[in-house]
Amino acid sequence: MKLSELLKNINPTTIKGSTEVEITGVNIDSRKIANGHLFIAMKGTQVDGHQFIGKAIELGAVAVLLEDMPDTLNENVTYVQVESTEKTAGEVATLFYGDPSHKLKLVGVTGTNGKTTIATLLYNMFREFGYKVGLLSTVCNYIDDKAIPADHTTPDPIELNRLLADMVAAGCEYAFMECSSHAIHQHRIGGLDFTGAIFTNLTRDHLDYHKTFENYRNAKKMFFDGLSKHAFAITNADDKNGMIMVQNTKATIKTYSTKRMADFRAKILECHFEGMYLEIDGKEVGVQFIGKFNVSNLLAVYGAAKMLGKSTDEILLALSTLKSVNGRLEPIQSPEGFTAIVDYAHTPDALENVLAAIHDVLDNKGGHIITVCGAGGHRDKGKRPLMAQEAVKQSDTVILTSDNPRDEDPQAIINDMMAGLDATQRKKVLNIVDRKEAIRTASMMAKKGDVILVAGKGHETYQEINGVKHHFDDHEVIREIFGIK
């Protein structure tokens, strides 16, 4: 493809060299550059790609998209200067890969909690309907039944368009993806054509990056602001930011709620650890999920499927067969009669929701709740005391332990969490830095009918300590301690 074709949707401020050079690949990672490639120099949050322009040219780059023109130019290379490579990378990648999102029914899911569950359930549902489907999620990416490991919630724009193009080549008709606030703010989804978008909820998260809650909210809102009039926007009417998300969108707006009038409504009829009986839009259905927040997730899935043309009966039938996503409210029964639940909850709100779901099932049956949780290193420190407060509020005993401390001292993170508790609350709390020992201690304390919530890591199979990832899987540890396979 000629460079001139890749530039037709952007407005360069300066071009040095020929735009008729043939481009054989596009990359923002200089290490992946090969002969004939276009290198996009991105100013990232940690590294400035401009410092790798020389390396990219050595590896065969014939053109560079950049913001700052170097003092010395290579006469065999074309330099294209733009105001923001971050904003233009998506447009260039979309064109290079043949505009794949226009060839798919692409639905994005954003919000603090529930993104993975909703995107994955939609993927599973539409495969159940008989379609070839793509998935882009925190846990794993899928091109129909082919798994592609995921490094980020939302890939960079080059990788994202390549994956979408692979989905098109594999015959996929639908694709469902998580859209993180980082990805929206960094224009990683720029240039994509979305058939629909879903908003789940908004609570404190990622303030280490966004700095303020308003910035975080506005990053999410950008997604809906950019939708076309041909798209649909489904928003959670039970969240106070739900209608703010869609106030400037051109898309068709639909709402869902468990509390008030909305386009899609549901209520819980019965609740057990094995699942719930719900009423959705006047019809009863049994589902293999628990928790009020999961009712909202299922409503979002139901609403999206309706907007994509499916009938109520076929959607409810599919919902009844779907199972929980890996690491989301996953129960493991011990031989002694107590239950461990593995969940990814790593924000105060998510922890509150999961504990509330456990209380709903226990419903004064006498069982105690023991919560094992921590907080990640080098992330929003302000949520650490809030996490501890939520855990203590709804648990009989709390064991604070390591999550992914990264390069921080694990005990210092626990100390930050403890700082949110008063003397009375601290009497309910143990702190055990070693996560395996923390889970073992909780298991030794538990009796028949009790519930151990192991929160924070969910689907993750590693623990990052001093910048090194070590294998660690909460599921494996619990089964080993329980003596089950």
Side-chain angles (χ1 to χ4, degrees), residues 123-390:
Y123 163 80
N124 289 333
M125 175 181 281
F126 276 76
R127 291 196 75 222
E128 183 81 12
F129 290 153
Y131 297 102
K132 288 191 173 183
V133 187
L135 174 67
L136 295 157
S137 86
T138 303
V139 178
C140 191
N141 301 318
Y142 281 90
I143 300 171
D144 198 31
D145 59 353
K146 181 184 176 184
I148 313 286
D151 295 324
H152 297 89
T153 299
T154 311
D156 69 62
I158 313 299
E159 176 71 4
L160 181 52
N161 277 278
R162 186 182 65 77
L163 285 167
L164 291 172
D166 287 347
M167 291 174 192
V168 171
C172 293
E173 294 181 55
Y174 294 87
F176 302 100
M177 69 178 288
E178 296 182 49
C179 297
S180 69
S181 58
H182 291 70
I184 299 166
H185 185 254
Q186 294 168 6
H187 303 278
R188 283 187 234 159
I189 59 174
L192 299 186
D193 178 57
F194 285 90
T195 300
I198 299 168
F199 171 71
T200 63
N201 48 64
L202 202 67
T203 59
R204 181 187 179 116
D205 200 14
H206 302 305
L207 298 196
D208 53 307
Y209 175 83
H210 294 289
K211 307 306 179 188
T212 69
F213 183 82
E214 289 72 22
N215 289 344
Y216 177 46
R217 181 189 65 201
N218 291 340
K220 299 284 189 187
K221 185 176 177 295
M222 281 172 60
F223 180 31
F224 296 90
D225 290 350
L227 294 174
S228 77
K229 64 180 181 180
H230 305 293
F232 63 80
I234 300 175
T235 191
N236 184 357
D238 293 335
D239 188 281
K240 63 183 179 181
N241 291 288
M243 299 315 294
I244 293 175
M245 288 294 133
V246 295
Q247 66 186 10
N248 299 119
T249 190
K250 301 182 190 73
T252 299
I253 299 169
K254 295 290 182 180
T255 57
Y256 63 95
S257 173
T258 61
K259 301 174 182 176
R260 52 181 57 87
M261 291 298 296
D263 295 296
F264 311 115
R265 299 181 66 197
K267 66 178 179 179
I268 299 173
L269 301 177
E270 288 183 35
C271 187
H272 313 276
F273 272 127
E274 295 75 28
M276 298 179 286
Y277 283 101
L278 306 178
E279 182 183 289
I280 297 180
D281 281 354
K283 294 197 173 187
E284 292 186 17
V285 61
V287 296
Q288 301 175 58
F289 298 83
I290 64 170
K292 292 175 182 174
F293 66 95
N294 265 328
V295 181
S296 289
N297 290 339
L298 293 171
L299 263 182
V301 171
Y302 172 83
K306 289 281 285 186
M307 295 303 291
L308 290 168
K310 297 302 163 188
S311 72
T312 297
D313 287 344
E314 64 182 329
I315 297 168
L316 295 183
L317 180 60
L319 281 181
S320 70
T321 66
L322 295 176
K323 294 183 179 176
S324 179
V325 175
N326 180 26
R328 269 65 175 178
L329 264 176
E330 275 192 272
I332 302 173
Q333 204 69 35
S334 79
E336 287 77 23
F338 57 86
T339 304
I341 290 180
V342 176
D343 194 87
Y344 188 52
H346 61 285
T347 65
D349 180 69
L351 197 56
E352 177 186 17
N353 286 337
V354 171
L355 285 165
I358 294 170
H359 276 285
D360 286 343
V361 177
L362 288 176
D363 194 24
N364 299 317
K365 292 173 184 170
H368 291 87
I369 298 175
I370 304 167
T371 296
V372 179
C373 67
H378 295 298
R379 296 295 185 267
D380 177 14
K381 291 187 177 184
K383 73 178 181 182
R384 293 175 184 175
L386 303 179
M387 291 283 289
Q389 288 166 14
E390 286 299 342

Side-chain angles (χ1 to χ4, degrees), residues 3 6-7 16-19 21-23 25-27 33-41 53 56-57 60-66 76-80:
L3 177 60
L6 290 180
L7 302 181
K16 301 283 189 180
S18 172
T19 59
V21 291
E22 194 71 28
I23 301 297
V26 179
N27 261 304
I33 292 292
N35 286 331
H37 280 200
L38 166 67
F39 174 59
I40 303 178
I53 291 173
I57 292 172
V62 295
V64 181
L65 188 71
L66 43 66
N76 299 314
V77 175
T78 302
Y79 299 83
V80 181

